[in-house]
Amino acid sequence: MRYLTRGEDLVLTPRFSPSTQEITYMSFGQGDPRVFAIQYRDRQREVVGNFPGMTFAPRFSPDGQRVIMSLQQGGNANLYVMDLRSKYKRRG
């Protein structure tokens, strides 16, 4: 067993990318839910986005280039797709 995070924050539903080199997860470490991507080998972590109202954990697309998530905004939950390179988010 190998720890990838420090255990300081609530971390939910980690998911491997299709290449299994990266993991995405949701964390409530600073109040609002944030989506992170962490490199499996070297533990380099980056914030994919800070999304108030997130209701479900993110998942990689089959090609690993996008993250799919459910966001609750304005009382409605919708599916969103975010391109990992541009960080552009659109409703799916």
Side-chain angles (χ1 to χ4, degrees):
M1 181 169 32
R2 182 175 131 196
Y3 291 102
L4 298 175
T5 60
R6 295 179 297 235
E8 298 169 352
D9 302 327
L10 176 62
V11 174
L12 300 171
T13 58
R15 299 285 189 256
F16 274 101
S17 68
S19 70
T20 69
Q21 299 304 307
E22 195 171 22
I23 299 167
T24 188
Y25 62 92
M26 185 172 65
S27 176
F28 284 90
Q30 312 219 335
D32 287 331
R34 290 183 175 183
V35 176
F36 288 91
I38 188 170
Q39 296 296 318
Y40 177 72
R41 296 220 188 279
D42 62 11
R43 299 184 201 176
Q44 289 292 325
R45 180 176 85 156
E46 74 169 303
V47 176
V48 173
N50 185 5
F51 306 107
M54 177 175 281
T55 55
F56 293 102
R59 287 165 175 74
F60 283 99
S61 62
D63 64 4
Q65 301 299 310
R66 296 174 301 267
V67 171
I68 295 92
M69 63 196 89
S70 173
L71 300 176
Q72 184 175 350
Q73 296 177 334
N76 297 318
N78 292 296
L79 293 176
Y80 287 83
V81 177
M82 173 179 271
D83 182 85
L84 289 172
R85 289 186 185 134
S86 69
K87 304 291 193 237
Y88 176 74
K89 176 182 71 165
R90 68 177 170 83
R91 197 159 88 175

